[in-house]
Amino acid sequence: MKSRSRPTPDPTIATEVPWSESLTAYDDKHFELYLKLMDPCADSASEEEMALDVMGIDPVKEPIRARKALRSHLKRVLWFMHEGHKELLPSRPPQ
């Protein structure tokens, strides 16, 4: 993953995503972050690169937080891709 300008550290990024089986206020606030994680993940970027370049968490200074936060957010991204996105689609009445 080629480094662009590093994001400013965001203190609202949780070390562990608050989990729910439906979309949350945290998801809404961090939706853009979830989208930004998809490309480097698909490109097999390292955890360190994603933590630093996408989340703004320095894995050298905060190795445990960087790893936990990244993995928690990636887990949420996967949940969103498989389940959560359905909540964004309008419901259709049965035909």
Side-chain angles (χ1 to χ4, degrees):
M1 180 173 148
K2 292 194 178 186
S3 179
R4 289 170 268 171
S5 63
R6 300 243 184 330
T8 303
D10 181 350
T12 68
I13 293 177
T15 301
E16 296 206 23
V17 174
W19 198 265
S20 174
E21 290 302 320
S22 59
L23 294 174
T24 66
Y26 185 88
D27 295 326
D28 187 49
K29 181 172 179 138
H30 293 89
F31 186 74
E32 186 175 330
L33 173 66
Y34 297 166
L35 294 175
K36 287 179 180 179
L37 283 170
M38 289 180 183
D39 283 337
C41 186
D43 290 341
S44 300
S46 72
E47 288 187 348
E48 292 80 9
E49 287 176 308
M50 289 188 279
L52 184 60
D53 293 342
V54 180
M55 301 181 80
I57 302 171
D58 188 333
V60 173
K61 293 179 182 174
E62 298 182 272
I64 294 170
R65 179 171 179 253
R67 184 180 63 250
K68 283 185 173 182
L70 178 67
R71 290 178 181 178
S72 179
H73 284 77
L74 289 175
K75 182 178 175 185
R76 194 63 175 171
V77 167
L78 288 173
W79 172 83
F80 181 79
M81 289 171 55
H82 295 284
E83 297 296 326
H85 73 279
K86 296 172 189 172
E87 292 186 37
L88 298 177
L89 303 172
S91 314
R92 291 192 208 177
Q95 295 183 9

